Amino acid sequence: MNELEILRASVMWTVFFMLLGLEHFDGIRSACPDRCKRRCDNILLLLLGTLLLRSLVPVTVVGAAYWAQNHLFGILHWADVRFAYALPITLIVLDLVLFLQHRAFHWFPILWRVHRVHHSDRDLDVSSGLRFHPLEFLFSLIVKLLAVVAMGAPPFAVLVFEILLNLFSMITHANIN
């Protein structure tokens, strides 16, 4: 794990625990009785997904961006796009790619069977934003790897996208005002 991946994970867990605290003091809905077990199950799914990815795929999306940068591979490199433009292009394109991926998970029955793990949470809180089937983590990683390399996205832009993606997922699921 390189420095950027450590930064991404640190920001994610910091925000997770901050939102957890806000839910405790300012939750919209009262907590369900099995809240602690459910949150632990959601975190366990995240850890299983992470373990699967680390064991099956030797590279992260930031690592793929470094590879594309070092080999001058991808559309942004070939078009010699400056970083000031590559950053917003990367954010917009990756967001569009993940939006289409999410729609595919809802449209295709075989993908829905995997994605419904996310939608089957009995209660909604910050941990729901981390609740995905390990195969969905794998599929999403492959889609992002292909998009990042094809684009030649800058590593820092990919890091920013990954942090924003985690933040958005946790904030939109959080049980806060």
Side-chain angles (χ1 to χ4, degrees), residues 65-131:
Y66 273 120
W67 182 89
Q69 176 180 286
N70 292 337
H71 292 85
L72 300 176
F73 190 89
I75 295 168
L76 295 175
H77 290 290
W78 299 331
D80 200 24
V81 176
R82 292 187 317 196
F83 180 78
Y85 299 114
L87 175 65
I89 290 169
T90 297
L91 297 178
I92 291 166
V93 170
L94 287 178
D95 192 47
L96 176 62
V97 166
L98 263 65
F99 169 77
L100 294 173
Q101 172 197 301
H102 186 243
R103 296 308 314 153
F105 271 107
H106 283 263
W107 287 333
F108 298 105
I110 193 160
L111 294 176
W112 171 249
R113 283 189 211 100
V114 172
H115 183 60
R116 71 180 171 195
V117 167
H118 174 69
H119 288 279
S120 67
D121 205 353
R122 295 177 308 280
D123 197 19
L124 196 62
D125 66 17
V126 66
S127 73
S128 304
L130 307 175
R131 178 189 176 91

Side-chain angles (χ1 to χ4, degrees), residues 1 7 13 25 38 43 62 65-66 69 71 86 105 111 114 119-121 129 141-142 147-148 152 159 161:
M1 204 187 253
L7 175 62
W13 287 112
F25 293 109
R38 193 185 53 72
I43 292 170
V62 174
Y66 273 120
Q69 176 180 286
H71 292 85
F105 271 107
L111 294 176
V114 172
H119 288 279
S120 67
D121 205 353
L141 176 63
I142 292 168
V148 164
L159 172 71
F161 177 79

Side-chain angles (χ1 to χ4, degrees), residues 42-58:
N42 291 348
I43 292 170
L44 181 61
L45 273 172
L46 171 68
L47 297 176
L48 283 171
T50 302
L51 182 62
L52 175 73
L53 295 183
R54 295 289 182 245
S55 62
L56 293 179
V57 183

